[in-house]
Amino acid sequence: MKSFSYTKADNVAIAVNELAVDNAAKFIAGGTNLIDLMKENVARPSRLIDITPLPLNKIEDTEDGGLRLGALVTNADTAYNEQVEKRYPLLSKAILAGASPQLRNMATTGGNLLQRTRCYYFYDTATPCNKREPGTGCPAINGFNRIHAILGTSSECIATHPSDMCIALAALEAVVRVTGKNGDRNIPFAEFHRLPADTPQIDTNLQADEIITAVDLPAIGFTKNYTYLKLRDRTSYAFALVSVAAALEMDGDEIIEARLALGGVAHKPWRNTEAEAMLKGKSATRENFLHVAEAIVRDAEGFGHNTFKIELAKRAIVRALKQATEMEQK
Ligand SMILES: Cc1cc2nc3c(=O)[nH]c(=O)nc-3n(C[C@H](O)[C@H](O)[C@H](O)COP(=O)(O)OP(=O)(O)OC[C@H]3O[C@@H](n4cnc5c(N)ncnc54)[C@H](O)[C@@H]3O)c2cc1C
Ligand code: SF4
């Protein structure tokens, strides 16, 4: 057991400063991922800075008609928040598809965005892993890779991002608000998580001295035609093999706008805006859905055990679009 110190921060500036002076320190929020990583000796922080006393636990309206989710709001409080249920039902549905009630009671907005991959090799310190120890190799590429990525992979890493919440946030085009030593900045959701390329150890574009303070949801919440379809080995308490967040704006049978984000297939929530654009002005037919699904998986690559995901993703996209379009007819 590696010893570490523990402090609490009740002010964002102090929390940022504490992190800036010790690059081996880590924030802890709900602890549902970080504590597991510490128990497995994957994360070895010198110090835990408990950020739960920070005043970041509110859900509030924004000036531009959207909703701000504080970084410390629990996943359960977000999913069951009256405004989220009414204005962003896709987000509620995605959160409730993840983990378990107990975990959702602890897990926070910020922690969910920064949870690490569930790649088995990443958790097993007896094996090499480029994400855990850069330059050691990626045993998943030629190993057991059933849960691994099929899109946006690199020769260094084929891990996936495991979150459900983030897939809905990607489709909704949320914005991540962060604060660091150099002040505040906003990161569009599509630019928050990274593809592995040759730096798989870096999951996101959050800087080392930055804290997530909130996630902003834009005014448009796609309340009429949406779905979150999660396919997994068990019907509950399992990570997605493939998931699809679909959000549509429709005029009768015509699709005016389409957003599609995929989970379980890449190192980040996967969107292909060119493929989404193919649905604009089209009617809601299986043929049109299949066309867009084929475009999304066109560059997908399987690694053996996970090759089934290519066909699974295609079918999941078609099914999600069908579910989302049929809602309006109810
Ligand atoms: C058994 C199990 C099953 C699960 N199943 C699912 C599932 O099906 N779907 C799913 O989406 N998730 C699932 N999860 C993951 C769960 O959602 C995450 O563990 C949780 O969201 C992490 O949030 P947390 O607040 O506990 O983060 P923590 O563990 O406290 O922190 C995680 C990371 O985020 C950092 N951090 C936290 N908050 C901030 C902040 N505000 N600013 C900067 N850094 C911060 C920490 O330093 C740490 O590196 C599962 C977890 C477990 C244990
Ligand atoms: S896929 Fe990524 S996380 Fe998994 S073993 Fe390879 S480098 Fe490590």
Side-chain angles (χ1 to χ4, degrees), residues 26-34 36 51 71 75 98-99 103 106-108 110-112 114-115 118 162-164 206 210-212 230 237-239:
K26 277 219 161 275
F27 292 140
I28 183 161
T32 61
N33 189 216
L34 184 54
D36 279 356
I51 56 172
N75 288 179
L103 283 160
M106 292 299 292
T108 62
N112 195 304
L114 294 172
Q115 63 175 292
R118 309 309 287 201
S163 169
D164 292 296
L206 190 74
E210 286 178 325
I211 186 169
I212 297 173
K230 180 174 179 180
Y237 203 35
F239 290 92

Side-chain angles (χ1 to χ4, degrees), residues 117 119 121-122 128-131 137-140 148 156-159:
T117 184
C119 170
Y121 301 102
F122 176 70
C129 166
N130 283 329
K131 187 180 280 297
C138 174
H148 288 75
E156 304 293 309
C157 178
I158 58 169

Side-chain angles (χ1 to χ4, degrees), residues 128-139 141 155-157 199-201:
C129 166
N130 283 329
K131 187 180 280 297
R132 185 168 21 81
E133 281 181 55
T136 56
C138 174
I141 291 174
S155 58
E156 304 293 309
C157 178
T199 52
Q201 71 278 17

